[in-house]
Amino acid sequence: MSLRVLIPKRLAMTILIVCIGCSLLLALPQAQGQSERLKKLLPSVQVSYFEWARDSHSFVYSESSPEVIDSFGSDSLWTHYNLNTEAFAESSTYPFLPQLTPQEETIFVRTGNTFFYLSPDGRYLVYVGEKVLEGLTSRYWQLVIGDRQTQTTYTPEYPLYDPFGKEERFDARWSQDSRSFVLVTCVDQFMCFPSVFFYVRGLESGLSGMVFDWLSMTFPTVAGVEYRALELLDFSEDGTWALLTVGEDYGRGASHLMMYNVVIPQSSFLITDPMGIVPRSLRFATPDGSKMLYIDNQGIYRYDWANHTSTLLTTELNNSKAKLGEFSPDGHWFVFVNSSRELYLYDLQGLPEAPMPTAIAPPHGEGGE
C-alpha cells in the first residue's frame, strides 16, 4: 500500500475518533439527566406563595398573600399548573376548593371567601362558620367540622380570628388516613403571629370521637424547656410528626427546628445536627417523617434525622438560584422562582437515595424517655 493512500485513511480514522469523542462529551450531561431536569415554565412572574396538590400532579401560586378570592377584584389571583397537561389556568378563586353538591352547600355553609379543608378520603371538611359579635369591637368566627358521610356538623368552642388567609391565620394539614389533622389559627383579632396550633384526632368513627389539643403543641416542651411554636412547616402523612419552627422565651429568643411528636409529645426533639447553610423550603420526604428535603447555599439535600446524615442530591440549584420554592408532597418536584422572577420546575426523580439506617438511634439524646 502506498504512503499516499495510507495517510488519508489514517487521517480519516483520526477525525472519526475525535468526532465520536466530541459526541460522547456532548451527550454526557443528557445521559446523567442533569440538563433535562430543569424546565423553565414562565419568563416573568410575581409569586409570594406556592402550594402543591395532595397528589403532586399540579400546583398553584399566588401573587400576593393567599386568599380564596382577591379582595381587590383581580382576575389573576391564582395560577394553576398541571404537570400532566403542562397547561396554565388563571382564576380569581382558589383552585383547590372541594366541589360540594347543592344539598351539601346548604348543610356545610362557610362564611364568605374563606377556605375549605377536605380530608384525603373526602369525608370531612374543616371550614369557617358564622361570625359572632361580642360588643362593638370584639368579633370572631366559628370553627366547624363537617362529616359528609352523615351530613352532620360539629362546632367546637374555639374562636377563629381573621380567618380570611392561609398562613398564620387559618390552615389545616391532614394525615393521609383522615383520622387527624393539625390546625393553625390566629391567636386573637389584633395579632396573628405567633399562631395557635391544634392537634385534632379521633376521627376514626365520626365527629363524636374528636379530641382537640392546643396547649401541648403551641407550647411544646423538650428536655424540660418550654418553647413557643412559631410556624408549622409540615405534617407527616402517617399523622405522627409535625415539623415546627419554635422559639425560646415565648418566641422572642433563639429559634430552632423541632420534630414534634403529636402522638407522644414526650418523644419530641430539637434538630441539632448541622443541616446546611441557611436551609429553606423544608418538607418531609417520606410518609413517616423520617427524612426531609431542603435547599441551602450548596444545593438540595435529603436529611435523615434517625442516623444524623444529610445527603447532597444535586448542586444544580441552591439558595442563590431559588429565591422562593416548594417541594411536592411526593418529593419528586421542586417549583421555584429565581431572582429574575422566572418560574422553573426541577425534577428530583432518580436522584440518589439517602443511606438507610440499620437501627433507629435515639435522636440527639433529647426529649425522649
Side-chain angles (χ1 to χ4, degrees):
M1 182 178 295
S2 66
L3 182 62
R4 186 174 60 182
V5 175
L6 183 60
I7 290 177
K9 287 186 176 181
R10 287 181 176 177
L11 180 60
M13 182 63 68
T14 302
I15 294 173
L16 178 61
I17 293 173
V18 171
C19 290
I20 292 174
C22 293
S23 299
L24 290 174
L25 288 174
L26 290 173
L28 184 58
Q30 293 183 351
Q32 293 176 338
Q34 294 179 356
S35 62
E36 296 182 353
R37 290 188 179 275
L38 193 60
K39 181 178 182 179
K40 186 175 181 178
L41 300 181
L42 290 175
S44 179
V45 293
Q46 186 68 40
V47 179
S48 66
Y49 175 81
F50 282 113
E51 183 180 344
W52 282 89
R54 187 179 287 118
D55 60 9
S56 298
H57 292 167
S58 66
F59 66 84
V60 296
Y61 68 82
S62 174
E63 297 180 2
S64 57
S65 59
E67 298 177 354
V68 170
I69 296 179
D70 187 4
S71 56
F72 296 100
S74 171
D75 292 333
S76 59
L77 173 66
W78 291 100
T79 302
H80 180 256
Y81 179 75
N82 189 305
L83 273 67
N84 297 326
T85 63
E86 299 184 345
F88 284 94
E90 293 186 347
S91 173
S92 59
T93 305
Y94 177 63
F96 292 154
L97 289 177
Q99 299 299 313
L100 305 183
T101 66
Q103 179 182 354
E104 288 177 329
E105 289 179 351
T106 64
I107 299 172
F108 311 113
V109 182
R110 64 185 172 103
T111 292
N113 302 324
T114 54
F115 289 92
F116 263 130
Y117 295 107
L118 182 67
S119 61
D121 63 3
R123 176 174 177 177
Y124 298 107
L125 289 164
V126 180
Y127 62 98
V128 181
E130 295 181 355
K131 183 178 181 180
V132 179
L133 292 175
E134 293 182 348
L136 296 177
T137 58
S138 178
R139 49 84 176 118
Y140 64 90
W141 286 261
Q142 293 178 334
L143 170 66
V144 183
I145 319 296
D147 186 344
R148 300 176 73 187
Q149 179 174 309
T150 61
Q151 301 282 282
T152 57
T153 63
Y154 175 74
T155 304
E157 297 181 359
Y158 298 107
L160 299 175
Y161 297 101
D162 193 16
F164 291 90
K166 252 182 174 291
E167 300 174 302
E168 301 172 5
R169 297 183 180 184
F170 178 61
D171 198 2
R173 309 282 186 92
W174 283 92
S175 63
Q176 188 59 38
D177 62 9
S178 301
R179 296 180 178 181
S180 64
F181 63 92
V182 174
L183 178 69
V184 182
T185 68
C186 207
V187 66
D188 62 40
Q189 67 186 74
F190 302 108
M191 182 177 65
C192 283
F193 184 83
S195 307
V196 174
F197 300 84
F198 287 83
Y199 170 54
V200 185
R201 65 184 188 276
L203 285 160
E204 292 85 350
S205 56
L207 302 180
S208 61
M210 278 193 302
V211 177
F212 288 77
D213 179 15
W214 66 270
L215 190 61
S216 298
M217 191 171 184
T218 303
F219 299 97
T221 299
V222 169
V225 179
E226 184 180 272
Y227 297 88
R228 178 61 165 95
L230 303 176
E231 184 181 6
L232 173 66
L233 300 175
D234 206 355
F235 184 43
S236 63
E237 291 184 9
D238 70 350
T240 301
W241 296 100
L243 180 60
L244 302 175
T245 301
V246 300
E248 301 176 8
D249 188 23
Y250 200 77
R252 295 184 291 265
S255 61
H256 309 274
L257 286 175
M258 177 182 287
M259 289 286 292
Y260 179 78
N261 191 315
V262 296
V263 181
I264 310 175
Q266 298 84 354
S267 299
S268 305
F269 60 92
L270 299 181
I271 296 177
T272 56
D273 294 332
M275 293 184 62
I277 307 171
V278 193
R280 296 200 319 232
S281 302
L282 292 97
R283 183 151 200 169
F284 287 131
T286 52
D288 63 357
S290 63
K291 300 179 182 65
M292 65 185 72
L293 294 167
Y294 68 90
I295 184 171
D296 77 347
N297 291 0
Q298 303 298 323
I300 295 178
Y301 289 79
R302 181 178 286 111
Y303 171 72
D304 185 340
W305 58 260
N307 64 359
H308 319 294
T309 59
S310 284
T311 300
L312 180 61
L313 302 182
T314 179
T315 59
E316 276 194 292
L317 295 182
N318 54 40
N319 282 346
S320 65
K321 297 178 181 179
K323 295 302 181 182
L324 176 68
E326 182 76 19
F327 291 102
S328 62
D330 61 8
H332 288 173
W333 306 96
F334 182 66
V335 61
F336 70 96
V337 288
N338 61 14
S339 57
S340 300
R341 296 170 52 187
E342 297 170 317
L343 180 66
Y344 282 90
L345 186 65
Y346 189 77
D347 184 0
L348 287 90
Q349 299 183 66
L351 290 175
E353 293 289 333
M356 293 294 291
T358 55
I360 302 298
H364 322 294
E366 296 179 342
E369 295 182 350

